[in-house]
Amino acid sequence: MRAFPATRLRRLRAQDFSRRLVREHQLSVDDLIYPVFVLEGQNQCQPVASMPGVDRLSIDLLVARAKEWVELGIPMLALFPVTPATLKSELAEEAFNPEGLTQRAVRALKAAYPELGIMTDVALDPFTSHGQDGIIDQQGYVLNDLTTSVLVKQALSHAQAGADVIAPSDMMDGRIGAIRQALEQAAQVNTLIMAYSAKYASSFYGPFRDAVGSAGNLGKGGKATYQMDPANSAEAIHEVGLDLQEGADMVMIKPGMPYLDIVWRIKQEYGAPTFAYQVSGEYAMLQAAAQNGWIDKEQVMMESLLAFKRAGADGILTYSAIAAAKLLA
């Protein structure tokens, strides 16, 4: 490195053209995955109070709105069902109902937009009467292997409905290998798996649980016995490595911005396709600050998304995907 004044780092910052030429990371619409909430009924639109600008949509409205998203170039949607309380149970049987809400939504979206990627959430918390991500014993402990057997049925039902990407978010041990084996045996060889490999037992998920209606079922219960401890980072290396060995095509870190160090470590360690989820609590904080006039919403939104790219993420699940796509157009 040459000393000052032979080196003036501000020279390259002085004009727009030079800043653009030496910019190390770029954000594009190709980096964005849009999470959407789907509910039963016709012509139903329910705003999520804790997530300004986010709605729960019935399948007909979801398909109609997706036209604009496709035109913006959004590569993929991530579907999350709002399950009626009457269909929730101890054993989550509705999760693998071939005529379930997710399965019908997948078929409708793929029929309307065959080239649009559709990712589905594989987890049992939207379907359990207790709000946990799996089948529980009498003490409330989530049973790993029994839960995995149900997750396999759920994943197969999604793949058979036409889902392009199966995204297990449950954090059960061994579920990626079991799902991959089942997909192979069912001739679903090109169905991708994006594993929620490093999903932390975070307090940033609150608005999401309100959106899908699982917060009330969960009550004061937590998920620390299966989701990762926020204090751990080396453990994430272990989790991701196992999921890749078992057949994951892509891995995810969740939450996003508070865990950018994990994104960086995973990308550096494995070089595999790595994604991050800018979760509901992150989104809600930015929206609340913007509504109070404390930050510039658009500028902070784009800066936060660029931070994921700088940390090594190949793509980002974000509720800001549509707003960002419009700015990037």
Side-chain angles (χ1 to χ4, degrees), residues 271-290:
T274 302
F275 292 76
Y277 198 147
Q278 188 177 47
V279 299
S280 59
E282 299 173 65
Y283 174 84
M285 288 192 302
L286 294 180
Q287 292 293 316

Side-chain angles (χ1 to χ4, degrees), residues 2 7 20 35 38 43 53 68 72 85 94 98 120 133 143 146 158 173 196-197 206 208 247 279 294 296 305 321:
R2 296 172 299 173
T7 297
R20 288 164 55 201
V38 60
N43 198 34
E68 178 193 18
L72 284 169
E94 184 64 16
T120 58
D133 289 47
L143 300 168
L146 181 57
H158 291 181
D173 292 334
Y196 286 63
S197 296
F208 174 92
V279 299
W294 298 334
D296 183 307
L305 295 176

Side-chain angles (χ1 to χ4, degrees), residues 122-189:
V122 171
L124 303 187
D125 52 327
F127 307 97
T128 56
S129 52
H130 44 73
Q132 293 289 355
D133 289 47
I135 309 303
I136 59 174
D137 63 15
Q138 292 183 346
Q139 288 71 47
Y141 184 77
V142 173
L143 300 168
N144 191 94
D145 296 2
L146 181 57
T147 296
T148 295
S149 68
V150 181
L151 295 171
V152 168
K153 294 179 182 179
Q154 184 183 23
L156 282 176
S157 74
H158 291 181
Q160 290 162 352
D164 301 290
V165 180
I166 303 300
S169 64
D170 56 284
M171 289 299 287
M172 296 299 112
D173 292 334
R175 90 277 202 212
I176 300 301
I179 291 171
R180 173 56 71 204
Q181 182 179 16
L183 290 171
E184 289 288 321
Q185 292 174 347
Q188 298 286 345
V189 298

Side-chain angles (χ1 to χ4, degrees), residues 4-325:
F4 175 89
T7 297
R8 288 182 180 266
L9 293 176
R10 289 185 58 193
R11 288 192 194 109
L12 287 170
R13 303 173 193 156
Q15 299 186 69
D16 178 68
F17 81 87
S18 56
R19 291 194 299 271
R20 288 164 55 201
L21 284 170
V22 300
R23 190 162 289 150
E24 296 177 37
H25 300 281
Q26 301 285 341
L27 180 71
S28 83
V29 69
D30 296 338
D31 301 315
L32 304 175
I33 300 171
Y34 188 37
V36 295
F37 300 106
V38 60
L39 49 75
E40 293 285 5
Q42 292 284 322
N43 198 34
Q44 295 295 308
C45 176
Q46 298 177 356
V48 180
S50 55
M51 300 174 69
V54 174
D55 299 321
R56 307 179 190 92
L57 300 170
S58 54
I59 293 174
D60 57 327
L61 293 187
L62 177 61
V63 171
R65 288 201 189 180
K67 183 177 186 295
E68 178 193 18
W69 307 337
V70 170
E71 290 172 351
L72 284 169
I74 296 292
M76 185 161 70
L77 305 182
L79 295 184
F80 296 95
V82 183
T83 306
T86 55
L87 295 178
K88 297 185 179 187
S89 65
E90 288 287 312
L91 300 179
E93 292 94 342
E94 184 64 16
F96 52 90
N97 178 1
E99 294 302 320
L101 183 56
T102 295
Q103 291 83 346
R104 284 182 280 122
V106 169
R107 289 196 291 268
L109 285 164
K110 293 304 292 185
Y113 314 106
E115 300 305 313
L116 176 64
I118 303 298
M119 183 169 93
T120 58
D121 180 52
V122 171
L124 303 187
D125 52 327
F127 307 97
T128 56
S129 52
H130 44 73
Q132 293 289 355
D133 289 47
I135 309 303
I136 59 174
D137 63 15
Q138 292 183 346
Q139 288 71 47
Y141 184 77
V142 173
L143 300 168
N144 191 94
D145 296 2
L146 181 57
T147 296
T148 295
S149 68
V150 181
L151 295 171
V152 168
K153 294 179 182 179
Q154 184 183 23
L156 282 176
S157 74
H158 291 181
Q160 290 162 352
D164 301 290
V165 180
I166 303 300
S169 64
D170 56 284
M171 289 299 287
M172 296 299 112
D173 292 334
R175 90 277 202 212
I176 300 301
I179 291 171
R180 173 56 71 204
Q181 182 179 16
L183 290 171
E184 289 288 321
Q185 292 174 347
Q188 298 286 345
V189 298
N190 285 328
T191 302
L192 297 161
I193 296 177
M194 182 187 290
Y196 286 63
S197 296
K199 181 178 180 180
Y200 285 84
S202 171
S203 297
F204 282 90
Y205 304 146
F208 174 92
R209 290 172 182 164
D210 290 337
V212 298
S214 65
N217 300 99
L218 186 62
K220 295 182 179 180
K223 302 188 177 185
T225 64
Y226 48 98
Q227 294 177 0
M228 284 182 55
D229 188 329
N232 295 351
S233 61
E235 184 184 10
I237 304 294
H238 197 180
E239 285 278 10
V240 170
L242 288 171
D243 283 353
L244 289 171
Q245 287 176 3
E246 291 176 20
D249 303 285
M250 302 169 279
V251 297
M252 188 200 299
I253 290 83
K254 181 182 180 184
M257 288 192 70
Y259 296 84
L260 290 181
D261 60 315
I262 308 301
V263 176
W264 172 259
R265 287 195 66 179
I266 295 303
K267 191 63 178 180
Q268 293 296 304
E269 179 75 19
Y270 296 109
T274 302
F275 292 76
Y277 198 147
Q278 188 177 47
V279 299
S280 59
E282 299 173 65
Y283 174 84
M285 288 192 302
L286 294 180
Q287 292 293 316
Q291 288 181 349
N292 279 282
W294 298 334
I295 60 172
D296 183 307
K297 181 168 70 173
E298 289 186 351
Q299 293 286 345
V300 172
M301 173 183 70
M302 299 305 282
E303 183 179 339
S304 70
L305 295 176
L306 186 60
F308 288 101
K309 295 293 293 180
R310 193 183 65 244
D314 295 288
I316 310 134
L317 285 85
T318 175
Y319 301 97
S320 299
I322 305 308

